[in-house]
Amino acid sequence: MKKHAYQTIHTRWIVFIIASTAFLLSGCSQQQDVVLHKDARHSLDRMKETPGLSFMASEVIPIQDNKNEEFNKASGWLNNTEILYISNSIENTSVLYSYNLLTGQAELLFQSSLPIITAEISPKKDKIMIHSSASAEGVLTVINLSGKELYSGKMESYELIIEWNPFNDDLLIVSAFTEEWDFSTFLLDLKQNSLKSIQLPEPFVKWISEDMLVYQQWGKNELALNAPLKSFSLSGNPSRTLFENVYQFDSIGNYLLTIEAGEESTSGMGLYTFTKNGVQKATSFPVPLLTDFSGWIVPFYDSTEDGEVFLYLRAKRQGEADLYADGFELVRYHVEDNKEEIIFSELANEPLSCSPSGEMCLYGFQLEKVLNMATREINQLIP
């Protein structure tokens, strides 16, 4: 097990993990029209939805009330009209559904006797990783869209972070945390049906190629807000430094996103930079940041499947988060054209999950609202 005494900067990661877990376990009582597979064990492949349907002239059909279940949260998009969501049953089970926003049809994919903590959709949208747990021991289950089990295994952890490889979605990195925030990292290979321990320098990593991960290199016992962004090769190629001072980073479609902010909070501005393969700069632009006790707040964001359109929440001015009350703009930014447009101007800073086309976004701490980019309307997923 790799052990690490986390610096102040990691506080924001821990707060985010705890907050995410809290809203995953909350919910409101709801119902859906459920269509079961012909085989209760889901051995039959389900019919694929015809792609290309548009919301322009269609209403989003909310998930209907069900007194026997509590809606927990939505978990993202299977395609441009179908989402994934988790409910908790009064029979002490957790259930996972696909749901078509245009037809109102729900389909049961998975049921667990343990609470479903998260359900992560693979980059190709054909597999789902499910983390179920009621204690320090969790269960990882991978299913296909017919509900067929592809992998299942137990793992001791207080919290898990899962990173699908977008270049080969048979590969996943799993970082498992203890209650003291020590961590172990594993490589899950679905093709080989194997889970093996690997020694990563840090638990928070992102893929930038089939073989290459990136991570921030934090100095031991060093209090810092920024750190170098380095590469890590699973095949043993030498590590290299991609950026010297990075506050936050992410993998966005075909791009690596880095967010830089000066050590002095008086600057109040961050710089969002997009690069291909971690080296070829595509674009960058400044963004006002809000400060809090651990540094700066980076508002929520998402993108289209290829990363060419970046949708992000932006504060209207610099300032302190506790005193800020001006709302956030939802901006649609075209990476290659370096053009932007404001879609919504009065939103809260809450999580986003956008459809592959970027035409619709789930929004809210339970992803319980639907944003229509074309009509600028907000629909409630839960009535």
Side-chain angles (χ1 to χ4, degrees):
M1 173 180 290
K2 166 135 174 90
K3 295 189 176 182
H4 198 300
Y6 285 102
Q7 302 87 341
T8 301
I9 188 62
H10 288 93
T11 303
R12 69 180 189 267
W13 286 104
I14 295 171
V15 170
F16 174 77
I17 292 171
I18 295 172
S20 300
T21 303
F23 79 74
L24 283 170
L25 296 174
S26 65
C28 306
S29 180
Q30 306 298 335
Q31 171 180 345
Q32 62 286 326
D33 296 327
V34 178
V35 177
L36 298 179
H37 296 289
K38 293 180 180 179
D39 189 312
R41 293 178 298 277
H42 312 297
S43 62
L44 298 178
D45 288 339
R46 80 179 213 251
M47 297 296 290
K48 297 292 184 181
E49 179 183 341
T50 303
L53 295 176
S54 173
F55 283 87
M56 286 292 290
S58 303
E59 293 288 337
V60 170
I61 299 176
I63 298 171
Q64 299 303 305
D65 289 338
N66 184 346
K67 62 182 180 180
N68 296 320
E69 290 181 1
E70 273 191 332
F71 175 85
N72 188 322
K73 75 175 294 275
S75 296
W77 297 81
L78 295 170
N79 53 51
N80 284 322
T81 61
E82 196 172 12
I83 66 169
L84 195 68
Y85 77 91
I86 302 166
S87 282
N88 296 324
S89 168
I90 61 173
E91 299 175 350
N92 295 320
T93 60
S94 272
V95 285
L96 184 67
Y97 293 101
S98 63
Y99 182 76
N100 190 305
L101 296 174
L102 295 185
T103 66
Q105 185 178 81
E107 190 172 2
L108 177 63
L109 296 179
F110 183 80
Q111 184 168 309
S112 172
S113 59
L114 298 174
I116 296 175
I117 307 302
T118 57
E120 302 278 349
I121 302 169
S122 71
K124 291 183 179 179
K125 312 290 187 186
D126 60 355
K127 293 185 282 290
I128 303 165
M129 163 67 84
I130 302 160
H131 173 210
S132 306
S133 179
S135 64
E137 183 178 66
V139 178
L140 294 180
T141 307
V142 181
I143 63 173
N144 64 16
L145 298 192
S146 300
K148 180 181 178 181
E149 185 179 292
L150 305 177
Y151 173 85
S152 182
K154 294 182 179 180
M155 180 175 292
E156 291 187 9
S157 66
Y158 178 73
E159 184 60 59
L160 291 177
I161 299 295
I162 298 165
E163 288 296 332
W164 284 97
N165 186 332
F167 307 93
N168 177 359
D169 66 2
D170 283 327
L171 299 177
L172 304 91
I173 291 291
V174 181
S175 296
F177 295 85
T178 68
E179 194 167 358
E180 292 76 28
W181 296 105
D182 298 326
F183 70 92
S184 302
T185 49
F186 303 87
L187 178 67
L188 175 57
D189 187 329
L190 297 176
K191 192 172 183 180
Q192 301 296 327
N193 196 36
S194 66
L195 180 72
K196 66 178 181 179
S197 176
I198 58 174
Q199 297 300 314
L200 290 181
E202 295 287 337
F204 303 106
V205 296
K206 297 289 181 180
W207 299 90
I208 58 170
S209 73
E210 183 172 341
D211 170 71
M212 193 75 66
L213 298 154
V214 292
Y215 67 96
Q216 283 175 286
Q217 184 181 48
W218 298 101
K220 292 183 179 180
N221 303 318
E222 177 185 347
L223 296 178
L225 295 176
N226 299 317
L229 188 68
K230 300 182 72 71
S231 65
F232 181 91
S233 171
L234 293 178
S235 59
N237 292 327
S239 175
R240 57 193 177 94
T241 300
L242 303 180
F243 291 87
E244 291 292 343
N245 291 289
V246 172
Y247 180 68
Q248 191 169 310
F249 67 100
D250 206 348
S251 178
I252 303 290
N254 298 319
Y255 300 92
L256 170 66
L257 167 65
T258 55
I259 300 173
E260 299 172 76
E263 291 287 351
E264 296 297 329
S265 61
T266 53
S267 67
M269 296 296 289
L271 183 67
Y272 287 25
T273 300
F274 290 79
T275 56
K276 288 186 176 180
N277 303 318
V279 293
Q280 182 183 351
K281 182 177 177 181
T283 188
S284 64
F285 52 89
V287 175
L289 296 179
L290 303 176
T291 60
D292 69 359
F293 67 95
S294 64
W296 293 274
I297 292 176
V298 176
F300 291 99
Y301 57 81
D302 202 7
S303 72
T304 54
E305 195 166 23
D306 56 8
E308 298 295 339
V309 178
F310 181 61
L311 297 122
Y312 71 104
L313 292 164
R314 182 175 67 190
K316 297 178 182 179
R317 60 174 177 83
Q318 307 159 20
E320 296 181 19
D322 290 344
L323 303 176
Y324 183 78
D326 293 347
F328 292 78
E329 300 168 327
L330 178 61
V331 181
R332 179 161 56 193
Y333 183 84
H334 299 268
V335 175
E336 290 297 328
D337 297 334
N338 197 26
K339 295 180 180 179
E340 70 172 40
E341 54 185 321
I342 297 173
I343 308 300
F344 293 91
S345 59
E346 296 292 338
L347 294 179
N349 181 27
E350 298 181 5
L352 285 170
S353 174
C354 297
S355 62
S357 67
E359 186 178 346
M360 306 290 287
C361 292
L362 298 171
Y363 167 69
F365 285 106
Q366 294 173 272
L367 298 178
E368 75 281 6
K369 296 181 281 282
V370 184
L371 306 179
N372 189 317
M373 301 296 111
T375 65
R376 268 70 167 179
E377 293 177 336
I378 303 176
N379 296 286
Q380 294 294 327
L381 183 59
I382 307 301

